[in-house]
């Protein structure tokens, strides 16, 4: 099963084992609807974890989820999850409609002009659209279609320039 990064456990919340989960709005919307999450510090070794409760909250950083997971019954146990990544099966994401893909086949380059891959899809999500790209080594990645990441779209030459930030292609 192919997993995709959806969010990150930021810290414990309260004393009863809840955690604060941060990510973009569409990912959090998706996670709120799921009863099980895949959690781990490494995509190769994740746990399939039952979500006991989850609710939206706002913080100084924006939208977040407060969740109680079956594997954390105390603040100490929740603190061990700090920094863990929450994954979802890639198949849970909306299907790609190639006819509705405004950038299919475009070349993806970094802000230094280095070619890094090709666009193979586009996912329209409630919170933020995602560009699906295949990197040269064959790995598929999701690139947020946001001005901070996608710095230029040259429709004439079919080139998308992205600002490669730490962790963008790690999952």
């Amino acid at each position: 099963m192919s997993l995709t990064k959806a969010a990150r456990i930021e810290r414990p919340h309260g004393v009863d084992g809840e955690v604060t989960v941060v990510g973009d709005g569409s990912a959090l919307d998706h996670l709120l609807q799921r009863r099980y999450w895949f959690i781990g510090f490494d995509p190769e070794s994740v746990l399939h974890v039952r979500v006991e409760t989850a609710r939206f909250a706002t913080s100084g950083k924006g939208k977040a989820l407060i969740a109680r997971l079956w594997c954390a019954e105390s603040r100490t146990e929740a603190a061990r999850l700090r920094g863990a990544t929450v994954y979802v099966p890639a198949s849970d994401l909306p299907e790609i409609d190639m006819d509705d893909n405004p950038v299919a086949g475009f070349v993806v380059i970094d802000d230094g002009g280095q070619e890094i891959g090709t666009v193979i899809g586009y996912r329209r999500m409630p919170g933020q659209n995602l560009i699906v790209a295949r990197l040269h080594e064959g790995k598929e990645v999701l690139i947020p279609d946001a001005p901070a990441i996608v710095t230029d779209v040259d429709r004439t030459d079919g080139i998308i320039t992205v600002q490669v930030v730490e962790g963008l292609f790690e999952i």
Side-chain angles (χ1 to χ4, degrees):
M1 171 186 337
S2 176
L3 297 175
T4 299
K5 181 179 178 179
R8 181 179 51 81
I9 296 176
E10 185 173 65
R11 64 182 180 275
H13 177 83
V15 297
D16 295 328
E18 291 181 315
V19 292
T20 302
V21 180
V22 295
D24 74 41
S26 61
L28 296 178
D29 290 339
H30 183 76
L31 288 173
L32 187 63
Q33 298 172 21
R34 297 187 55 82
R35 293 294 94 204
Y36 288 88
W37 295 346
F38 292 90
I39 297 175
F41 292 94
D42 172 340
E44 300 302 316
S45 57
V46 297
L47 296 174
H48 191 228
V49 177
R50 187 175 71 236
V51 180
E52 300 291 333
T53 62
R55 67 185 183 279
F56 278 115
T58 52
S59 70
K61 296 180 181 178
K63 196 175 186 181
L65 287 179
I66 305 299
R68 177 183 304 280
L69 307 174
W70 73 266
C71 61
E73 294 182 1
S74 69
R75 183 175 181 85
T76 302
E77 291 172 347
R80 291 185 186 123
L81 298 173
R82 182 189 312 259
T85 300
V86 181
Y87 301 91
V88 296
S91 61
D92 284 2
L93 297 174
E95 289 297 314
I96 300 168
D97 179 358
M98 293 305 278
D99 294 331
D100 190 31
N101 181 352
V103 290
F106 279 34
V107 173
V108 179
I109 64 171
D110 65 20
D111 53 351
Q114 179 73 32
E115 187 175 324
I116 51 181
T118 304
V119 175
I120 60 169
Y122 194 82
R123 295 194 172 137
R124 297 187 188 280
M125 305 294 286
Q128 177 161 346
N129 296 331
L130 299 169
I131 296 167
V132 183
R134 180 169 290 122
L135 303 181
H136 289 303
E137 62 268 14
K139 181 176 168 183
E140 289 184 16
V141 296
L142 300 174
I143 302 170
D145 188 1
I149 304 292
V150 178
T151 58
D152 186 54
V153 178
D154 181 343
R155 294 188 184 281
T156 304
D157 293 328
I159 298 172
I160 293 178
T161 305
V162 297
Q163 173 71 39
V164 179
V165 296
E166 184 178 339
L168 184 62
F169 301 135
E170 290 179 11
I171 304 298

